[in-house]
Amino acid sequence: MKGWMGKLRALFLLGLVALILSGCGRENLTALVPKGYGSESSMKLIILTTVIMSAVFVIVMIVYVIVLLRFRKKKGQENFIPKQVEGHKGLEAVWTIIPIILVIIMAVPTTLISFDLAKTNDQKDSINIDITGNQYWWHFDYKGEEIQTSQDLYIPVGKKVYLNMLSSDVTHSFWVPSISGKMDVNPDNTNTMYIQAYEEGVYWGKCAELCGPSHSLMDFKVIVVSEEEYEQWIADMKSVDPKAKPENSVAQEGQELFEANNCMACHAIGSSPIATGPNLTDFGNRTKLAGYVEPTKENLVEWIVNPEKIKPGNLMTGKYPAVNKEEAEKIAEYLLQLKPSEIGPESAGK
Amino acid sequence: MSIAATQKQGFGAVIWDYLTTVDHKKIAHLYTFGGGFFFILGGIEALIIRIQLIKPENDFVSAGFYNEVITMHGTTMIFLAAMPLLLGLMNAAVPLQIGARDVAFPFLNSLGFWLFMFGGILLNCSWFLGGAPDAGWTSYAPLSTTSPGHGVDFYVMGLQIAGAGTLIGGINFLVTIINMRAPGMTYMRMPLFTWATFVTSILILFAFPALTIGLFLLMFDRMFDSAFFDVTLGGNTIIWQHLFWIFGHPEVYILILPVFGLFSDIFSTFSKKRLFGYTAMVFATMLIAFLGFMVWAHHMFTVGLGPVANTIFSIATMAIAVPTGIKIFNWLATMWGGSITINSAMLWSLGFIPSFTVGGMTGVMVATVAADYQYHDTYFVIAHFHYVIVGGTVFGIFAGFHYWWPKMFGRILNETMGKIAFWTFFIGFHLTFFIQHFLGLMGMPRRYWVFLEDQNLDLGNFISTIGAFFMAIGVIVFFINAIYSQVKGEKAPADPWDGRTLEWSIPSPPPYYNFKQLPLTRGLDPLWVEKTEGNGKMTPAEPLGEIHMPNNSFIPFVMSLGLFIAGFGFIYQTDNNAWFIALFGGMAIALGAMIVRSVKDDLGYHISKEELEREADE
């Protein structure tokens, strides 16, 4: 009997653990498993307030249940008139003062953590990246390094990285739940926040402020690599030769088509101030196409031929003469071999 | 006139009567029908949202249409469903609760309703004229200023017209409650619902002008090429956010305070006890309203206001939990030691306590600034405010209708259907929204047309959609109940609930002049005071005499129609100057109606003493 109970209990515990694990969401996306300084700070407050508030809820529910069990109209007492109580000074004082104390308990750490997360005292000595939010993609400019890239943000593990964010069109919001809380990307003024990731990995980022039809497809990734890998990546990105001819002849034709269709009016390869469209320097290393599609050749061809189908309301549609499928395949061949660095998404966490 | 009103009328005459009525009880019906219609519309929009999100990367609706649906769901539910339904309840109950024959300005009351109705219709015309607004109900610039088409123009004009109606309604209730109280009805003897209406009206008076200004700026940016929100020309988009939330946060309390009031009345009535801590309840209401004006920036924690502003607004927001907590405990203490009857009105009220407490809990959690960096703009926030607005306001509206339906329509709503509606809606509500707290923290931002595969968000969204359908069933059952009761329902006596306040001292539905003789109030819960002293009915405060009544008027309808036409003129003059004809024509109609109203003496009419005596004999 005892063994049977023990087994049942083990099964129950196992189920509970599984439920909690799956209930916390996808690793490197969920805010419930913090892997950075900002998300960890927020999590402290989330836990504190949840515990206090749940206690309040439990107290309310205990009184509520007692009221419902004890004071319902009883059979045979239909004409019973309860005592008309005006109030009770002592009781009312209790449920005024205790909440005030609870608010103070929550207010102090809230204030400390908020000021801590807003610090910028070591910004000058840290890595600074200028981020531009665009409908519906992200532009990253590594300050002092002459490196521009899009969609995949490479940062070193454990280091504070300052993000200076501005929008080129409407308001966006930069959110990598596992690493840090969000901050709005306004067209008016540059907002600065820092992020610091504790573990290597590919983290999911989201736009959190409604910005148009493809708001939900404006995903990006933060790729956290070791410090050496980061240095390597910086060096590789800096030494890119934008005019380099690809080895493959199909890719060479693709490069010619890329130029003939004037793609580089919007899409720079290598360091360039052009940021009308995403910078394609390390396009072959991208985790996703258009922010959310698997980076296969077929998907890329479809993206080039009919962008509207993949990202409604995007600003690339109609900006270039119609490209047929064959041409698109050549361009895709060219773009997918743009891998200036050995350091890619696979490097993170290995 | 007065004789006509008592005779059986033809269908056309009934319609004409409603189009011209200035009687607060009929205006309450109009608000109920209008608000109910938009509530169904907003509900259908909600179901479209949930069907789209039933599975990852669904393609039930397109991305652009989805944004229109979410925008209209929020705008419709807040401005065109919740507020009008509350105004309907206020119109039905407040004049009766203070022992008045009508509101202070019956003409304005009618004007307020028609402005709301035409504003709402104008806004919804956008569906058929090239697409609804798609910048979210918050309409943040520059997304709203750059949104193509006329959708956002309809938002601006529709809300401007409907908002003017609400403002008029608020001022009317303020004046009514200050001036029209029956003899002996001092402020500290007013029922809590009347108190809540009073405080809510103050909120409307101070909050709506901020929206009006914001909408004017947006209108000029979109229609007359100004650049208040255009950064490239020196404008600033954050100003819109401030203006919107200076209105928007008090708006939350405009939605919740009236239901706090009516729950207070319901708990007290069905526990057969006076409200516990009446004075504290009144002052808690005022404190919530006062604090409600200084917390707007908690909607903007991630905008980058800096840690000083953020923490000040954060702590001010947490402070609101204190008066709200006082209310919850006072309600529990009201029921404690009472003799509780559980019927449909009480079920909705009892369902409110745990639901709203969860909403309040998460309210404190989202007020915690550095934690809000994670919650903000995610499904956690969606869950939070639906717990407050559905678990609070909508539960309250249902409770209020079950409670006052007999007084409004002379019939009692069916109890069995009432209970079915409550349980399906209650279960559906928690199924839909509880799981969304976790979806938000698991990384699902709000206003997402699709959520991607492989994010562990599938199950939560699926459960949420199932819940939404349960809520829909609950609403349908309630509407069937409302129609069924009108046809076959039990006729309501004057005082079906053993009530405590003045509205239960007169017949259901009340005669068009409400009180033959104004009642004398001798304490809090005046009818209860008379009952305990063995009188069972109110003592008149005046001898039977002539009653002065206002005439019906078609002018409010014409005035609102004029603004409705002018609205189209404003929207389309950007395409073609010919539309200036509609603009000026519509304005001329509205202005003409105002002039007619101003120069024409309309002194109303008197019901003679003999007539009143005759009616008493019948």
Side-chain angles (χ1 to χ4, degrees):
Chain A
M1 191 69 183
K2 210 166 185 194
W4 179 75
M5 280 289 280
K7 264 179 203 161
L8 199 70
R9 185 175 297 170
L11 201 71
F12 175 74
L13 278 177
L14 205 73
L16 202 69
V17 170
L19 193 74
I20 289 170
L21 283 181
S22 70
C24 284
R26 190 190 196 284
E27 208 190 358
N28 291 357
L29 166 65
T30 173
L32 291 167
V33 186
K35 291 188 175 176
Y37 186 75
S39 56
E40 192 188 49
S41 302
S42 295
M43 199 60 196
K44 283 179 194 160
L45 286 174
I46 291 173
I47 290 169
L48 174 76
T49 51
T50 308
V51 167
I52 293 179
M53 286 295 125
S54 302
V56 172
F57 181 74
V58 168
I59 292 166
V60 168
M61 288 323 290
I62 289 172
V63 181
Y64 178 83
V65 169
I66 294 174
V67 163
L68 285 184
L69 291 180
R70 274 187 58 190
F71 300 111
R72 289 184 66 166
K73 188 183 270 180
K74 293 177 188 73
K75 279 234 165 80
Q77 290 190 11
E78 274 79 12
N79 295 322
F80 164 70
I81 303 292
K83 197 173 158 225
Q84 304 293 307
V85 189
E86 269 189 48
H88 188 287
K89 291 230 164 60
L91 273 177
E92 289 177 65
V94 167
W95 59 62
T96 309
I97 292 166
I98 292 177
I100 291 176
I101 295 170
L102 293 181
V103 166
I104 294 170
I105 292 174
M106 291 184 286
V108 173
T110 301
T111 311
L112 293 175
I113 291 177
S114 304
F115 276 85
D116 179 49
L117 288 179
K119 270 185 203 157
T120 52
N121 50 349
D122 53 355
Q123 189 180 359
K124 276 198 186 124
D125 313 318
S126 307
I127 300 167
N128 271 268
I129 302 169
D130 290 346
I131 295 183
T132 313
N134 305 277
Q135 282 171 327
Y136 305 95
W137 59 280
W138 300 87
H139 180 75
F140 307 121
D141 189 341
Y142 288 71
K143 246 186 187 166
E145 303 282 10
E146 295 193 354
I147 294 173
Q148 288 85 24
T149 177
S150 325
Q151 300 298 64
D152 289 349
L153 180 69
Y154 286 80
I155 60 167
V157 68
K159 284 263 194 165
K160 251 182 163 182
V161 177
Y162 278 84
L163 309 175
N164 309 298
M165 304 186 285
L166 189 69
S167 168
S168 73
D169 37 53
V170 302
T171 310
H172 304 277
S173 192
F174 182 94
W175 188 33
V176 194
S178 293
I179 300 182
S180 172
K182 63 187 73 63
M183 186 163 239
D184 286 2
V185 182
N186 302 317
D188 308 81
N189 60 303
T190 302
N191 270 342
T192 298
M193 73 184 279
Y194 63 82
I195 57 174
Q196 187 182 2
Y198 292 157
E199 284 177 32
E200 291 183 30
V202 177
Y203 295 87
W204 294 47
K206 304 259 172 199
C207 175
E209 184 63 64
L210 179 63
C211 58
S214 281
H215 166 53
S216 56
L217 306 177
M218 200 175 149
D219 275 35
F220 60 97
K221 299 286 180 292
V222 174
I223 298 167
V224 180
V225 293
S226 70
E227 224 172 304
E228 302 79 59
E229 285 168 327
Y230 177 74
E231 295 300 335
Q232 177 67 47
W233 183 79
I234 291 284
D236 291 344
M237 286 294 281
K238 273 174 148 177
S239 57
V240 166
D241 173 13
K243 293 269 179 279
K245 280 254 181 284
E247 286 160 20
N248 179 327
S249 65
V250 184
Q252 277 178 16
E253 283 180 58
Q255 187 182 26
E256 282 156 23
L257 281 165
F258 186 81
E259 282 167 17
N261 283 298
N262 212 15
C263 300
M264 67 282 192
C266 299
H267 296 287
I269 293 172
S271 179
S272 159
I274 294 170
T276 316
N279 185 301
L280 303 179
T281 309
D282 60 343
F283 191 81
N285 270 338
R286 289 279 159 84
T287 49
K288 300 276 174 183
L289 284 180
Y292 77 106
V293 183
E294 283 310 315
T296 60
K297 196 171 165 190
E298 298 79 62
N299 285 340
L300 181 54
V301 169
E302 203 180 328
W303 177 219
I304 295 171
V305 173
N306 186 6
E308 189 64 19
K309 196 177 161 214
I310 292 187
K311 228 167 179 177
N314 78 81
L315 299 177
M316 181 159 82
T317 306
K319 291 280 157 61
Y320 50 90
V323 177
N324 66 32
K325 214 169 168 200
E326 264 171 46
E327 291 170 326
E329 267 172 20
K330 288 171 187 164
I331 298 174
E333 185 77 27
Y334 167 60
L335 292 177
L336 287 172
Q337 57 84 47
L338 291 172
K339 287 186 185 174
S341 178
E342 291 294 308
I343 310 300
E346 317 76 47
S347 319
K350 273 176 196 158
Chain B
M1 190 81 198
S2 56
I3 296 162
T6 55
Q7 280 168 351
K8 191 87 185 150
Q9 295 168 315
F11 182 70
V14 172
I15 296 286
W16 178 250
D17 188 34
Y18 271 105
L19 287 178
T20 59
T21 187
V22 294
D23 179 352
H24 72 95
K25 298 178 288 298
K26 285 185 179 146
I27 290 174
H29 292 173
L30 288 173
Y31 270 119
T32 306
F33 302 145
F37 169 73
F38 286 120
F39 185 71
I40 293 174
L41 214 58
I44 292 169
E45 284 151 9
L47 288 179
I48 294 174
I49 295 172
R50 283 316 323 168
I51 293 170
Q52 168 66 16
L53 296 178
I54 195 168
K55 60 175 188 176
E57 299 187 29
N58 199 2
D59 58 356
F60 176 65
V61 292
S62 73
F65 184 73
Y66 183 81
N67 285 357
E68 294 173 22
V69 172
I70 57 158
T71 303
M72 289 298 284
H73 168 69
T75 313
T76 303
M77 284 304 197
I78 300 271
F79 291 97
L80 308 179
M83 274 211 298
L85 288 171
L86 290 172
L87 280 167
L89 290 170
M90 289 175 186
N91 263 301
V94 169
L96 304 181
Q97 285 196 328
I98 60 172
R101 294 215 167 90
D102 206 323
V103 292
F105 305 118
F107 178 89
L108 284 187
N109 202 11
S110 159
L111 179 61
F113 169 76
W114 288 111
L115 283 172
F116 140 67
M117 200 63 207
F118 276 109
I121 293 170
L122 178 66
L123 179 56
N124 277 283
C125 280
S126 59
W127 286 118
F128 310 103
L129 297 168
D134 60 354
W137 86 280
T138 51
S139 231
Y140 274 15
L143 187 64
S144 55
T145 50
T146 53
S147 164
H150 283 299
V152 177
D153 299 335
F154 278 98
Y155 171 93
V156 171
M157 296 315 299
L159 286 193
Q160 195 67 283
I161 293 171
T166 309
L167 187 59
I168 287 173
I171 293 171
N172 205 350
F173 277 112
L174 272 183
V175 180
T176 304
I177 293 169
I178 293 173
N179 286 320
M180 308 277 286
R181 284 167 290 126
M185 178 57 79
T186 59
Y187 282 106
M188 291 311 278
R189 285 176 181 174
M190 295 196 309
L192 247 280
F193 184 65
T194 299
W195 256 116
T197 302
F198 184 63
V199 177
T200 303
S201 302
I202 297 173
L203 286 176
I204 290 176
L205 180 63
F206 289 104
F208 265 75
L211 176 71
T212 307
I213 299 290
L215 288 174
F216 265 123
L217 299 185
L218 188 54
M219 171 182 163
F220 275 86
D221 265 20
R222 282 191 64 95
M223 298 172 204
F224 300 103
D225 297 324
S226 64
F228 295 107
F229 307 124
D230 188 341
V231 177
T232 53
L233 294 172
N236 188 306
T237 63
I238 311 296
I239 297 206
W240 167 266
Q241 298 191 24
H242 280 294
L243 283 171
F244 187 85
W245 289 117
I246 287 172
F247 148 76
H249 197 75
E251 169 67 23
V252 176
Y253 296 100
I254 291 170
L255 294 177
I256 203 68
L257 289 182
V259 304
F260 281 179
L262 70 86
F263 284 131
S264 303
D265 289 2
I266 289 173
F267 284 132
S268 163
T269 302
F270 293 112
S271 308
K272 291 202 180 301
K273 273 185 71 195
R274 68 174 273 162
L275 187 66
F276 189 93
Y278 174 88
T279 318
M281 290 298 253
V282 170
F283 283 98
T285 307
M286 287 198 258
L287 192 60
I288 292 172
F290 179 74
L291 288 173
F293 271 105
M294 36 198 75
V295 296
W296 80 87
H298 67 213
H299 298 270
M300 300 167 60
F301 281 155
T302 64
V303 165
L305 301 176
V308 178
N310 276 355
T311 44
I312 289 172
F313 280 100
S314 172
I315 293 165
T317 309
M318 289 180 190
I320 294 185
V322 177
T324 314
I326 293 175
K327 279 183 167 290
I328 297 270
F329 283 108
N330 276 342
W331 286 321
L332 291 173
T334 301
M335 289 187 280
W336 189 282
S339 172
I340 302 172
T341 307
I342 298 184
N343 55 18
S344 302
M346 195 61 173
L347 264 183
W348 284 105
S349 312
L350 289 170
F352 152 83
I353 288 191
S355 312
F356 186 81
T357 306
V358 172
M361 273 170 65
T362 52
V364 173
M365 291 167 73
V366 292
T368 311
V369 52
D372 184 62
Y373 295 158
Q374 292 287 17
Y375 305 130
H376 182 77
D377 265 338
T378 69
Y379 266 75
F380 190 93
V381 172
I382 302 278
H384 157 69
F385 71 70
H386 281 91
Y387 262 84
V388 176
I389 294 181
V390 180
T393 308
V394 176
F395 280 30
I397 287 169
F398 281 125
F401 277 119
H402 273 282
Y403 184 58
W404 279 310
W405 201 267
K407 199 50 64 180
M408 292 176 77
F409 295 99
R411 306 280 180 148
I412 293 177
L413 287 175
N414 181 288
E415 271 299 309
T416 315
M417 277 196 264
K419 282 178 179 146
I420 295 171
F422 169 77
W423 284 111
T424 41
F425 193 90
F426 182 80
I427 293 167
F429 162 70
H430 287 282
L431 269 183
T432 309
F433 294 110
F434 192 73
I435 196 100
Q436 290 185 359
H437 293 112
F438 299 97
L439 286 177
L441 283 170
M442 283 152 68
M444 181 159 167
R446 70 191 283 200
R447 295 166 166 176
Y448 262 31
W449 162 56
V450 289
F451 60 94
L452 305 176
E453 282 163 356
D454 192 26
Q455 295 188 125
N456 276 12
L457 301 174
D458 307 13
L459 182 65
N461 275 298
F462 181 75
I463 292 172
S464 191
T465 302
I466 299 300
F469 280 94
F470 274 90
M471 291 172 79
I473 293 169
V475 173
I476 291 168
V477 172
F478 181 86
F479 275 91
I480 293 172
N481 191 0
I483 295 164
Y484 172 84
S485 302
Q486 260 353 81
V487 183
K488 289 200 159 163
E490 184 190 337
K491 277 231 162 67
D495 183 13
W497 316 124
D498 194 10
R500 311 169 70 88
T501 41
L502 285 178
E503 72 265 37
W504 307 112
S505 70
I506 51 173
S508 304
Y512 58 102
Y513 46 79
N514 295 355
F515 296 88
K516 195 167 287 175
Q517 292 162 288
L518 293 184
L520 179 70
T521 300
R522 299 196 297 153
L524 178 69
D525 295 342
L527 184 59
W528 186 259
V529 170
E530 303 298 335
K531 280 178 183 171
T532 48
E533 294 188 3
N535 301 331
K537 62 181 174 56
M538 300 307 298
T539 317
E542 59 177 13
L544 190 65
E546 278 196 340
I547 297 175
H548 182 200
M549 297 295 290
N551 280 330
N552 282 5
S553 174
F554 191 51
I555 295 176
F557 185 93
V558 177
M559 226 183 254
S560 312
L561 181 69
L563 290 175
F564 176 74
I565 295 167
F568 279 101
F570 275 109
I571 292 166
Y572 285 106
Q573 50 79 25
T574 50
D575 297 344
N576 188 334
N577 282 340
W579 281 93
F580 273 107
I581 299 168
L583 198 167
F584 287 111
M587 292 304 246
I589 293 172
L591 195 69
M594 287 180 204
I595 292 171
V596 170
R597 169 72 182 166
S598 304
V599 298
K600 200 182 105 190
D601 279 333
D602 183 358
L603 300 174
Y605 64 99
H606 288 82
I607 312 172
S608 67
K609 200 172 152 187
E610 292 72 40
E611 203 176 321
L612 287 169
E613 276 168 350
R614 197 167 57 238
E615 266 180 45
D617 297 336
E618 275 166 15

